[in-house]
PDB file of all heavy atoms in Angstrom:
ATOM      1  N   GLU A 371      47.807 -65.256 -37.353  1.00  0.00           N
ATOM      2  CA  GLU A 371      48.484 -64.017 -36.972  1.00  0.00           C
ATOM      3  C   GLU A 371      47.490 -63.058 -36.308  1.00  0.00           C
ATOM      4  O   GLU A 371      47.828 -62.335 -35.374  1.00  0.00           O
ATOM      5  CB  GLU A 371      49.138 -63.362 -38.178  1.00  0.00           C
ATOM      6  CG  GLU A 371      49.976 -62.135 -37.871  1.00  0.00           C
ATOM      7  CD  GLU A 371      51.166 -62.428 -37.000  1.00  0.00           C
ATOM      8  OE1 GLU A 371      51.674 -63.583 -37.021  1.00  0.00           O
ATOM      9  OE2 GLU A 371      51.634 -61.522 -36.305  1.00  0.00           O
ATOM     10  N   ALA A 372      46.233 -63.040 -36.773  1.00  0.00           N
ATOM     11  CA  ALA A 372      45.225 -62.199 -36.202  1.00  0.00           C
ATOM     12  C   ALA A 372      44.939 -62.621 -34.741  1.00  0.00           C
ATOM     13  O   ALA A 372      44.664 -61.761 -33.882  1.00  0.00           O
ATOM     14  CB  ALA A 372      43.934 -62.276 -37.010  1.00  0.00           C
ATOM     15  N   ASN A 373      45.037 -63.908 -34.472  1.00  0.00           N
ATOM     16  CA  ASN A 373      44.818 -64.404 -33.113  1.00  0.00           C
ATOM     17  C   ASN A 373      46.027 -64.105 -32.206  1.00  0.00           C
ATOM     18  O   ASN A 373      45.857 -63.940 -30.991  1.00  0.00           O
ATOM     19  CB  ASN A 373      44.552 -65.909 -33.133  1.00  0.00           C
ATOM     20  CG  ASN A 373      43.216 -66.258 -33.747  1.00  0.00           C
ATOM     21  OD1 ASN A 373      42.269 -65.453 -33.688  1.00  0.00           O
ATOM     22  ND2 ASN A 373      43.102 -67.437 -34.317  1.00  0.00           N
ATOM     23  N   ARG A 374      47.224 -64.064 -32.803  1.00  0.00           N
ATOM     24  CA  ARG A 374      48.432 -63.854 -32.011  1.00  0.00           C
ATOM     25  C   ARG A 374      48.705 -62.415 -31.676  1.00  0.00           C
ATOM     26  O   ARG A 374      49.118 -62.061 -30.571  1.00  0.00           O
ATOM     27  CB  ARG A 374      49.649 -64.435 -32.752  1.00  0.00           C
ATOM     28  CG  ARG A 374      49.820 -65.942 -32.662  1.00  0.00           C
ATOM     29  CD  ARG A 374      51.203 -66.337 -33.151  1.00  0.00           C
ATOM     30  NE  ARG A 374      51.437 -65.941 -34.531  1.00  0.00           N
ATOM     31  CZ  ARG A 374      51.221 -66.768 -35.566  1.00  0.00           C
ATOM     32  NH1 ARG A 374      50.774 -67.998 -35.354  1.00  0.00           N
ATOM     33  NH2 ARG A 374      51.449 -66.378 -36.808  1.00  0.00           N
ATOM     34  N   SER A 375      48.531 -61.542 -32.666  1.00  0.00           N
ATOM     35  CA  SER A 375      49.002 -60.159 -32.548  1.00  0.00           C
ATOM     36  C   SER A 375      47.828 -59.201 -32.324  1.00  0.00           C
ATOM     37  O   SER A 375      46.894 -59.146 -33.131  1.00  0.00           O
ATOM     38  CB  SER A 375      49.760 -59.772 -33.806  1.00  0.00           C
ATOM     39  OG  SER A 375      50.081 -58.392 -33.784  1.00  0.00           O
ATOM     40  N   PRO A 376      47.891 -58.337 -31.293  1.00  0.00           N
ATOM     41  CA  PRO A 376      46.826 -57.372 -31.035  1.00  0.00           C
ATOM     42  C   PRO A 376      46.773 -56.268 -32.108  1.00  0.00           C
ATOM     43  O   PRO A 376      45.742 -55.610 -32.284  1.00  0.00           O
ATOM     44  CB  PRO A 376      47.173 -56.787 -29.683  1.00  0.00           C
ATOM     45  CG  PRO A 376      48.657 -57.041 -29.506  1.00  0.00           C
ATOM     46  CD  PRO A 376      48.939 -58.325 -30.236  1.00  0.00           C
ATOM     47  N   ASP A 377      47.924 -56.020 -32.803  1.00  0.00           N
ATOM     48  CA  ASP A 377      47.958 -54.978 -33.838  1.00  0.00           C
ATOM     49  C   ASP A 377      47.530 -55.453 -35.231  1.00  0.00           C
ATOM     50  O   ASP A 377      47.376 -54.626 -36.131  1.00  0.00           O
ATOM     51  CB  ASP A 377      49.379 -54.386 -33.938  1.00  0.00           C
ATOM     52  CG  ASP A 377      49.804 -53.688 -32.647  1.00  0.00           C
ATOM     53  OD1 ASP A 377      48.925 -53.167 -31.946  1.00  0.00           O
ATOM     54  OD2 ASP A 377      51.003 -53.672 -32.369  1.00  0.00           O
ATOM     55  N   TYR A 378      47.395 -56.756 -35.354  1.00  0.00           N
ATOM     56  CA  TYR A 378      47.074 -57.317 -36.683  1.00  0.00           C
ATOM     57  C   TYR A 378      45.572 -57.181 -36.960  1.00  0.00           C
ATOM     58  O   TYR A 378      44.733 -57.329 -36.037  1.00  0.00           O
ATOM     59  CB  TYR A 378      47.473 -58.791 -36.711  1.00  0.00           C
ATOM     60  CG  TYR A 378      47.567 -59.380 -38.114  1.00  0.00           C
ATOM     61  CD1 TYR A 378      48.741 -59.294 -38.852  1.00  0.00           C
ATOM     62  CD2 TYR A 378      46.472 -60.028 -38.674  1.00  0.00           C
ATOM     63  CE1 TYR A 378      48.827 -59.833 -40.112  1.00  0.00           C
ATOM     64  CE2 TYR A 378      46.538 -60.595 -39.937  1.00  0.00           C
ATOM     65  CZ  TYR A 378      47.743 -60.490 -40.668  1.00  0.00           C
ATOM     66  OH  TYR A 378      47.802 -61.023 -41.911  1.00  0.00           O
ATOM     67  N   PRO A 379      45.151 -56.905 -38.208  1.00  0.00           N
ATOM     68  CA  PRO A 379      43.711 -56.827 -38.521  1.00  0.00           C
ATOM     69  C   PRO A 379      42.986 -58.120 -38.151  1.00  0.00           C
ATOM     70  O   PRO A 379      43.530 -59.195 -38.252  1.00  0.00           O
ATOM     71  CB  PRO A 379      43.708 -56.604 -40.038  1.00  0.00           C
ATOM     72  CG  PRO A 379      45.041 -56.036 -40.355  1.00  0.00           C
ATOM     73  CD  PRO A 379      45.997 -56.655 -39.374  1.00  0.00           C
ATOM     74  N   LYS A 380      41.763 -57.990 -37.667  1.00  0.00           N
ATOM     75  CA  LYS A 380      41.015 -59.141 -37.200  1.00  0.00           C
ATOM     76  C   LYS A 380      40.144 -59.789 -38.290  1.00  0.00           C
ATOM     77  O   LYS A 380      39.509 -60.826 -38.049  1.00  0.00           O
ATOM     78  CB  LYS A 380      40.114 -58.707 -36.046  1.00  0.00           C
ATOM     79  CG  LYS A 380      40.887 -58.160 -34.854  1.00  0.00           C
ATOM     80  CD  LYS A 380      42.023 -59.102 -34.448  1.00  0.00           C
ATOM     81  CE  LYS A 380      42.907 -58.511 -33.358  1.00  0.00           C
ATOM     82  NZ  LYS A 380      44.112 -59.291 -33.086  1.00  0.00           N
ATOM     83  N   ALA A 381      40.090 -59.194 -39.452  1.00  0.00           N
ATOM     84  CA  ALA A 381      39.302 -59.737 -40.545  1.00  0.00           C
ATOM     85  C   ALA A 381      39.997 -59.446 -41.856  1.00  0.00           C
ATOM     86  O   ALA A 381      40.851 -58.544 -41.936  1.00  0.00           O
ATOM     87  CB  ALA A 381      37.893 -59.128 -40.581  1.00  0.00           C
ATOM     88  N   PRO A 382      39.697 -60.203 -42.933  1.00  0.00           N
ATOM     89  CA  PRO A 382      40.386 -59.959 -44.226  1.00  0.00           C
ATOM     90  C   PRO A 382      39.943 -58.707 -44.943  1.00  0.00           C
ATOM     91  O   PRO A 382      40.460 -58.412 -46.029  1.00  0.00           O
ATOM     92  CB  PRO A 382      40.043 -61.211 -45.041  1.00  0.00           C
ATOM     93  CG  PRO A 382      38.779 -61.729 -44.422  1.00  0.00           C
ATOM     94  CD  PRO A 382      38.871 -61.374 -42.962  1.00  0.00           C
ATOM     95  N   VAL A 383      39.018 -57.958 -44.369  1.00  0.00           N
ATOM     96  CA  VAL A 383      38.646 -56.680 -44.928  1.00  0.00           C
ATOM     97  C   VAL A 383      38.396 -55.716 -43.764  1.00  0.00           C
ATOM     98  O   VAL A 383      37.786 -56.099 -42.761  1.00  0.00           O
ATOM     99  CB  VAL A 383      37.407 -56.761 -45.857  1.00  0.00           C
ATOM    100  CG1 VAL A 383      36.198 -57.346 -45.096  1.00  0.00           C
ATOM    101  CG2 VAL A 383      37.054 -55.412 -46.468  1.00  0.00           C
ATOM    102  N   VAL A 384      38.939 -54.497 -43.851  1.00  0.00           N
ATOM    103  CA  VAL A 384      38.753 -53.507 -42.771  1.00  0.00           C
ATOM    104  C   VAL A 384      38.342 -52.178 -43.403  1.00  0.00           C
ATOM    105  O   VAL A 384      38.611 -51.896 -44.584  1.00  0.00           O
ATOM    106  CB  VAL A 384      40.052 -53.314 -41.978  1.00  0.00           C
ATOM    107  CG1 VAL A 384      40.421 -54.602 -41.257  1.00  0.00           C
ATOM    108  CG2 VAL A 384      41.197 -52.878 -42.861  1.00  0.00           C
TER     109      VAL A 384
END
Side-chain angles (χ1 to χ4, degrees):
E371 186 64 25
N373 291 332
R374 280 194 299 265
S375 173
D377 295 332
Y378 196 87
K380 301 308 175 189
V383 58
V384 296

